[in-house]
Amino acid sequence: MIVDFHTHIFPEKIAVKTIEKLEKKADVKAYLDGRESSLIRSMEQAGVSVSVILPVVTTPQQFETVNRFAAQLNEKYEGKDIRLLSFGGIHPDSADYKKDLREIKHLGLQGIKLHPDYQNTFFDDIRYKRILDYASQLGLVCVTHAGIDIGYPDNVRCTVASIINVLEEVAPEKLVLAHYGGFKLWEEVEREIAGRDVYLDTAYTADLIADEVFLKILKKHGADKILFATDSPWSGQAESLEHIRRLVEDQGDRERILGVNAQGLVKI
């Protein structure tokens, strides 16, 4: 089973326009148009069994809509051979973060996505620390964007230093750092984060990270806490799979990265 631990889709009526808007902001071209059907077609072509959907709540008012959509998506795909598995989302300005996290748990969502840049909050802000701590108590997986965001390159809100602060003060049990620990901060990730008790996903790294840096992080961190991910629609699933298969020679390590580790984190 191949699990893509980091993907995005949007409701049908806004998907194409949302992707077009984000393409302009980041000055990049997406592989897909953000629609559910496009991701399913990509999975079929690449041989991906499960794609984890990571919604971002950009205002507290979006909480109910985003998480209801996530729960409905999970219900639709439960038991299917090719499956979308959505996490929930929460904003750091939530009026009652504990209530919101309990609601996410009640909806059957197995994790949350945080995005310091899109939520305009530094990762080691007390609001995120509280969310991460309580989410850990509830057994929720927490995925955060890490490193530079190409849409907000001048103000990095999830730096390596802030990640270390959170790891040492909160010690979240199931924290996943997207983009291999920190997008375009990979040499610092290798020095300061690799080897710590945290998961790294490989989203949006294919053809962007130097082979030798990727392998140095893999060797130091170990394959047991690395998750295959693409950031689809921003990377191609087939292309990203080829990147992992080319670089990770050990079959056991490759299987752990491509799906075994994900199955240990979430119920699939």
Side-chain angles (χ1 to χ4, degrees):
M1 180 183 289
I2 296 176
V3 180
D4 183 344
F5 212 83
H6 187 144
T7 67
H8 305 281
I9 61 169
F10 302 91
E12 184 76 21
K13 64 181 180 180
I14 66 168
V16 174
K17 288 185 177 180
T18 300
I19 292 300
E20 290 174 350
K21 180 180 177 181
L22 292 171
E23 283 178 329
K24 290 178 181 178
K25 182 173 182 60
D27 193 26
V28 297
K29 181 66 178 174
Y31 277 70
L32 303 177
D33 60 11
R35 295 184 300 158
E36 175 185 335
S37 59
S38 300
L39 179 56
I40 292 294
R41 188 162 52 251
S42 169
M43 294 169 67
E44 290 172 341
Q45 293 171 350
V48 173
S49 300
V50 180
S51 286
V52 178
I53 309 298
L54 300 178
V56 178
V57 175
T58 56
T59 69
Q61 291 74 29
Q62 290 181 337
F63 176 83
E64 183 178 349
T65 302
V66 167
N67 289 292
R68 184 171 64 247
F69 177 76
Q72 290 170 347
L73 196 68
N74 289 346
E75 184 178 358
K76 177 180 178 179
Y77 283 94
E78 185 173 2
K80 293 191 176 182
D81 292 337
I82 293 181
R83 181 178 176 190
L84 304 184
L85 177 67
S86 186
F87 280 13
I90 186 172
H91 196 277
D93 288 333
S94 165
D96 190 338
Y97 73 94
K98 288 188 174 181
K99 178 182 176 182
D100 284 351
L101 288 170
R102 288 195 298 269
E103 177 63 16
I104 287 169
K105 181 79 171 181
H106 175 73
L107 288 169
L109 306 174
Q110 298 187 56
I112 58 171
K113 171 66 185 294
L114 305 174
H115 202 307
D117 296 291
Y118 279 77
Q119 295 176 328
N120 195 28
T121 305
F122 288 95
F123 186 58
D124 56 357
D125 186 285
I126 186 62
R127 291 168 291 174
Y128 274 149
K129 289 179 177 178
R130 289 168 177 162
I131 287 171
L132 290 164
D133 182 58
Y134 195 58
S136 288
Q137 293 179 45
L138 295 175
L140 296 171
V141 179
C142 300
V143 182
T144 184
H145 171 87
I148 297 169
D149 184 273
I150 56 177
Y152 298 89
D154 298 326
N155 188 11
V156 182
R157 295 171 180 84
C158 189
T159 63
V160 169
S162 68
I163 292 167
I164 292 172
N165 185 343
V166 169
L167 291 177
E168 294 183 348
E169 185 171 329
V170 182
E173 292 183 4
K174 299 178 181 179
L175 177 61
V176 180
L177 302 176
H179 312 295
Y180 218 42
F183 185 68
K184 291 195 173 180
L185 304 178
W186 294 306
E187 292 186 359
E188 191 177 357
V189 168
E190 191 274 330
R191 291 195 308 269
E192 305 293 340
I193 292 178
R196 291 178 181 264
D197 188 13
V198 65
Y199 288 86
L200 312 180
D201 83 25
T202 65
Y204 207 63
T205 57
D207 301 323
L208 293 170
I209 184 172
D211 289 357
E212 60 269 22
V213 176
F214 183 96
L215 292 172
K216 283 175 69 176
I217 292 173
L218 171 60
K219 182 178 180 180
K220 186 175 178 182
H221 198 64
D224 289 341
K225 292 215 167 183
I226 294 176
L227 304 162
F228 170 67
T230 65
D231 206 9
S232 178
W234 304 108
S235 287
Q237 290 184 309
E239 293 83 354
S240 298
L241 277 169
E242 175 57 30
H243 181 248
I244 297 297
R245 288 169 173 153
R246 177 175 63 83
L247 287 180
V248 184
E249 296 180 352
D250 182 87
Q251 182 178 346
D253 285 351
R254 192 163 59 245
E255 290 176 354
R256 284 189 282 275
I257 291 169
L258 292 181
V260 173
N261 295 340
Q263 293 174 74
L265 264 183
V266 296
K267 296 177 183 177
I268 298 174

